[in-house]
């Protein structure tokens, strides 16, 4: 039975390749790149002649594809359906099911005139909300994408990568006791293989698929299983751009090679921090240190990522004036649970070389990273300094040793300001 499941998975996902000969210029698999709705009638007739509409292995996906095209071309639908009224049997059923799926008023009016109208006028399922736990749903989601080029169906296919926990179950099934549990795990393992294979294959053939996966990798709501699988796919399909290294069973590293020189500095970091603070990078981990006299520094920082805060670097500072010491970091290594652990040591050194203040092994950041790991983040400890009357005038130095404990990288950051009397 599992052999049949596996064969069905891969046969279905090859839909758009196997139909190439039936559809001139790959009308199905490249429609989204340059839509040609004027070919709708001719291509449906070609699909009918090729037997694709009557084939249960392909007609579910074709239903979705035709439905999406009709939904995007409401003015032509009535004419298309009239011209295709010669279709019979299963071919006609698939066309009318697609018409219903389109939720197009003209299509609904046409369906209402059919003698068997009730058969086609039930509320259609939202394909993009279905759980991708079987080959039919995967087929339909790919058909959705090829018709629209939108990211939503790809995001739904990515959900099937969560079945990676059943990877290997299909191979083990051959020598198992074939219990109900083992059969179900083997089936889900096969679904994972099919989803992974189809994403990898189509990333190689369609720039748009790779573009969507790049966006999804660091998008909110992605879990570790999905991110891990996408990282592997991107490194395999774009080796010139991405590299993936498994450190051990529970740890892995995914890097954008374009960021090697300054691996984690964002536009925000380059335009503000690099000018006004100490910035260091090592092994794709970046840290920055800033001493500022801005009293509203927190308000400046808590702005959208595209907004560049204009911090004022502490230079000559009068006694009693507050100096805020801020530490930033970007791209920490994540553990097997998707969490980072960044720690730091801090020292404030007086003009005579004596340590005026010291704290060791502070928690700079611990927990899950939301959004892009490459974004510059503010570390937890923010220190405020103000010169007292008995403090020496002159250059005060701040040193921070910033540690990515998972990556085992240390960055030595240093900045200074001059304390002056009125």
């Amino acid at each position: 039975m599992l052999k049949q499941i596996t064969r069905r998975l891969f046969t279905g996902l090859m839909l758009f390749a196997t139909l190439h000969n039936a559809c001139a210029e790959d009308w199905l698999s490249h429609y989204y790149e340059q839509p040609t709705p004027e070919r709708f009638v001719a291509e449906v007739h070609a699909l009918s002649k090729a037997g694709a509409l009557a084939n249960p292995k392909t007609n579910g996906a074709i239903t979705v594809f035709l439905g999406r095209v009709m939904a995007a071309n409401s003015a032509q639908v009535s004419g298309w359906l009239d011209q295709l009224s010669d279709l019979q049997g299963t071919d006609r059923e698939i066309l009318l099911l697609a018409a219903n799926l389109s939720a197009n008023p003209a299509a609904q009016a046409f369906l209402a005139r059919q003698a068997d109208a009730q058969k086609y006028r039930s509320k259609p399922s939202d394909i993009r909300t279905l759980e991708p736990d079987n080959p039919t749903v995967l087929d339909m989601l790919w058909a959705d994408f090829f018709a629209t080029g939108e990211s939503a169906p790809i995001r739904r296919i990515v959900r099937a990568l969560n079945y990676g926990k059943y990877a290997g179950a299909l191979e083990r099934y051959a020598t198992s006791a074939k219990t109900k549990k083992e059969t179900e795990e083997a089936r889900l393992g096969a679904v994972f293989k099919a989803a992974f294979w189809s994403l990898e294959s189509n990333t190689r053939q369609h720039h748009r698929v790779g573009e969507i996966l790049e966006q999804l990798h660091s998008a909110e709501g992605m879990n570790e299983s999905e991110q891990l699988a996408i990282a592997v796919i991107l490194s395999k399909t774009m080796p010139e751009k991405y590299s993936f290294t498994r450190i051990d069973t529970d740890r892995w590293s995914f890097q954008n090679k374009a960021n090697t020189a300054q691996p984690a500095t964002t536009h925000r970091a380059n335009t503000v921090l690099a000018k006004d603070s100490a910035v260091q990078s090592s092994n794709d981990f970046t840290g920055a240190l800033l001493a500022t006299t801005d009293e509203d520094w927190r308000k400046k920082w808590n702005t959208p990522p595209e907004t560049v805060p204009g911090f004022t670097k502490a230079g000559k500072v009068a006694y009693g004036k507050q100096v805020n010491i801020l530490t930033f970091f970007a791209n920490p290594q994540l553990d097997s649970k998707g969490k980072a652990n960044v720690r730091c040591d801090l020292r404030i050194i007086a003009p005579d070389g004596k340590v005026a203040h010291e704290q060791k092994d502070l928690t700079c950041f611990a927990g899950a990273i939301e959004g892009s790991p490459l974004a510059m983040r503010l570390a937890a400890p923010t220190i405020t300094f103000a010169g007292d009357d008995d403090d020496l005038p002159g250059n005060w130095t701040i040193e921070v040793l910033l540690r990515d404990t998972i990556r085992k990288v240390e960055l030595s950051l240093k900045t200074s300001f001059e304390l002056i009397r009125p």
Side-chain angles (χ1 to χ4, degrees):
M1 182 179 74
L2 261 296
K3 287 185 178 179
Q4 293 177 343
I5 292 174
T6 307
R7 186 162 52 246
R8 169 66 183 92
L9 281 164
F10 289 91
T11 300
L13 289 168
M14 288 296 289
L15 166 68
F16 294 96
T18 56
L19 289 179
H20 176 74
N21 292 333
C23 307
E25 300 178 20
D26 240 353
W27 188 70
L28 287 174
S29 60
H30 289 276
Y31 181 88
Y32 73 96
E33 295 176 335
Q34 190 172 357
T36 52
E38 66 274 9
R39 291 170 52 184
F40 187 91
V41 173
E43 294 296 344
V44 172
H45 275 135
L47 288 167
S48 175
K49 184 177 180 180
L53 296 180
N55 187 343
K57 292 181 179 179
T58 57
N59 58 20
I62 291 174
T63 300
V64 174
F65 181 89
L66 298 180
R68 293 295 190 225
V69 174
M70 284 191 267
N73 297 275
S74 58
Q76 292 100 304
V77 169
S78 182
W80 289 346
L81 293 174
D82 285 337
Q83 294 177 67
L84 291 166
S85 59
D86 58 327
L87 295 182
Q88 302 294 319
T90 303
D91 290 7
R92 174 178 175 271
E93 290 181 9
I94 295 304
L95 178 67
L96 297 186
L97 286 171
N100 184 50
L101 181 65
S102 73
N104 183 283
Q108 294 299 320
F110 181 91
L111 292 174
R113 296 195 298 269
Q114 306 307 303
D116 52 352
Q118 289 304 116
K119 186 176 180 179
Y120 306 103
R121 300 190 68 192
S122 60
K123 183 178 180 181
S125 299
D126 183 351
I127 305 303
R128 298 178 180 183
T129 65
L130 299 179
E131 184 62 28
D133 60 356
N134 67 77
T136 299
V137 174
L138 291 177
D139 285 353
M140 291 191 296
L141 289 169
W142 277 118
D144 187 340
F145 168 77
F146 286 126
T148 65
E150 295 176 3
S151 62
I154 301 297
R155 175 64 184 97
R156 206 64 186 172
I157 294 168
V158 165
R159 280 180 61 91
L161 299 177
N162 288 290
Y163 297 128
K165 60 186 175 182
Y166 300 113
L170 182 61
E171 290 73 16
R172 294 191 297 270
Y173 186 77
T175 57
S176 72
K178 297 178 176 54
T179 64
K180 183 177 180 180
K181 180 175 181 291
E182 289 169 330
T183 300
E184 178 64 6
E185 290 180 350
R187 186 185 71 81
L188 293 175
V191 171
F192 166 75
K193 279 183 77 173
F196 187 97
W197 171 84
S198 64
L199 286 166
E200 179 184 346
S201 176
N202 282 312
T203 296
R204 296 183 189 279
Q205 299 175 58
H206 295 266
H207 174 76
R208 176 63 178 150
V209 177
E211 184 179 73
I212 292 171
L213 290 184
E214 288 180 295
Q215 295 168 353
L216 287 176
H217 181 265
S218 57
E220 291 187 11
M222 298 291 292
N223 61 42
E224 185 185 8
S225 296
E226 295 165 345
Q227 287 180 320
L228 174 58
I230 289 177
V232 174
I233 291 170
L234 291 177
S235 65
K236 291 176 69 176
T237 56
M238 306 180 196
E240 75 288 348
K241 189 173 182 179
Y242 297 105
S243 65
F244 177 89
T245 305
R246 187 176 288 280
I247 300 171
D248 53 37
T249 304
D250 297 321
R251 293 190 298 156
W252 47 278
S253 172
F254 178 60
Q255 300 174 1
N256 185 333
K257 294 179 180 179
N259 293 324
T260 301
Q262 284 186 303
T265 54
T266 62
H267 175 68
R268 246 186 177 202
N270 285 329
T271 54
V272 182
L273 302 178
K275 293 179 181 178
D276 298 334
S277 66
V279 177
Q280 295 289 330
S281 292
S282 177
N283 195 21
D284 292 344
F285 178 57
T286 295
L289 180 63
L290 172 68
T292 177
T293 52
D294 290 334
E295 295 180 2
D296 62 342
W297 66 265
R298 195 179 298 276
K299 181 179 179 180
K300 288 183 175 181
W301 180 252
N302 291 329
T303 54
E306 63 270 18
T307 303
V308 178
F311 288 125
T312 303
K313 181 183 177 182
K316 295 181 182 296
V317 181
Y319 279 73
K321 179 70 172 177
Q322 287 190 348
V323 177
N324 299 295
I325 301 167
L326 311 178
T327 305
F328 303 88
F329 69 94
N331 201 33
Q333 180 69 53
L334 306 182
D335 64 17
S336 61
K337 297 181 179 179
K339 296 182 178 181
N341 187 4
V342 180
R343 307 192 72 79
C344 55
D345 301 338
L346 179 141
R347 293 200 307 172
I348 300 177
I349 303 172
D352 60 0
K354 294 182 179 179
V355 177
H357 179 78
E358 184 172 25
Q359 290 179 282
K360 290 189 175 183
D361 202 31
L362 296 171
T363 299
C364 276
F365 184 89
I369 293 288
E370 295 183 4
S372 171
L374 300 180
M376 191 64 73
R377 289 173 165 79
L378 177 65
T382 55
I383 307 298
T384 300
F385 172 93
D388 295 328
D389 290 340
D390 56 349
D391 286 330
L392 292 174
N395 287 324
W396 286 72
T397 302
I398 300 109
E399 296 179 346
V400 170
L401 188 64
L402 191 66
R403 291 190 297 280
D404 181 347
T405 61
I406 298 173
R407 189 182 266 117
K408 295 181 172 56
V409 170
E410 290 187 345
L411 303 176
S412 181
L413 309 175
K414 183 184 293 187
T415 190
S416 63
F417 59 90
E418 183 182 0
L419 188 62
I420 59 172
R421 295 192 184 279

